[in-house]
């Protein structure tokens, strides 16, 4: 499977073929695309996703230079960011009096950080996960749900 510039029809056909490929076949495509062996720990599914993404970037183009620059600047402005992720737990970054605002399905939710817990819609909760569960109806990691 060549990764050269393709028409959208050719790209769609190649994308459709990826899920039925064996890991060995995907590893061969990886070798041709990247000039190195596929990472050993990469699952079949993740390998397929990565190759599909790479194929789309090669065909349709990736992020613009301006977008890359904007993302790099945003990352530099965060002193506690490493590899695009915060190195500080959300709780350590939130002091009492902090207000968290999160939009979910078109509705805005606010949470106030207290000395002992969190306040949301007139109730006090022990954790952000409890609030995330109340909002979504499913189990969420509260810090992940409310993280910026």
């Amino acid at each position: 499977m060549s990764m050269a510039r393709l028409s959208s029809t050719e790209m769609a056909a190649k994308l459709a073929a990826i899920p039925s490929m064996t890991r060995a076949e995907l590893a061969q495509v990886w070798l041709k695309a990247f000039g190195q062996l596929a990472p050993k720990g990469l699952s079949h599914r993740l390998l397929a996703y990565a190759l599909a993404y790479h194929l789309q970037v090669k065909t349709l183009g990736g992020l613009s230079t301006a977008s890359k620059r904007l993302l790099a600047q945003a990352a530099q402005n965060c002193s506690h960011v490493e590899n695009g992720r915060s190195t500080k737990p959300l709780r350590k970054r939130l002091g009492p009096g902090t207000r968290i605002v999160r939009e979910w399905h078109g509705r805005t939710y606010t949470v106030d950080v207290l000395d002992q817990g969190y306040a949301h819609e007139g109730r006090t909760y022990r954790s952000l996960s409890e609030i995330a569960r109340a909002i979504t109806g499913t189990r969420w990691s509260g810090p992940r749900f409310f993280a910026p």
Side-chain angles (χ1 to χ4, degrees):
M1 174 186 290
S2 171
M3 294 282 186
R5 283 239 180 236
L6 306 169
S7 71
S8 58
T9 304
E10 292 170 318
M11 180 188 66
K14 289 185 182 282
L15 287 173
I18 288 175
S20 63
M21 297 174 105
T22 65
R23 189 176 194 299
E25 290 169 327
L26 291 173
Q28 280 301 112
V29 174
W30 184 282
L31 183 60
K32 287 179 187 173
F34 297 105
Q36 60 188 20
L37 295 174
K40 289 183 181 179
L42 214 55
S43 70
H44 178 275
R45 184 175 178 182
L46 193 53
L47 192 58
Y49 283 149
L51 288 170
Y53 175 78
H54 181 72
L55 174 63
Q56 291 173 78
V57 166
K58 287 293 187 187
T59 304
L60 305 172
L63 291 173
S64 68
T65 303
S67 294
K68 289 177 186 176
R69 190 177 321 116
L70 183 63
L71 288 170
Q73 287 172 346
Q76 285 179 342
N77 291 336
C78 297
S79 61
H80 58 275
V81 172
E82 184 177 295
N83 295 327
R85 303 290 312 230
S86 174
T87 56
K88 290 184 182 177
L90 185 61
R91 179 69 183 140
K92 299 241 188 266
R93 290 181 275 153
L94 303 176
T98 302
R99 176 165 280 178
I100 306 168
V101 179
R102 170 69 151 91
E103 184 179 335
W104 177 257
H105 291 289
R107 183 169 169 215
T108 302
Y109 297 90
T110 59
V111 174
D112 293 315
V113 180
L114 308 172
D115 285 324
Q116 297 294 316
Y118 304 88
H120 171 65
E121 294 185 346
R123 286 190 55 202
T124 301
Y125 294 84
R126 290 179 299 156
S127 72
L128 287 172
S129 296
E130 288 180 18
I131 299 170
R133 192 173 310 121
I135 291 171
T136 65
T138 59
R139 289 190 169 272
W140 270 81
S141 159
R144 179 168 285 172
F145 181 78
F146 288 104

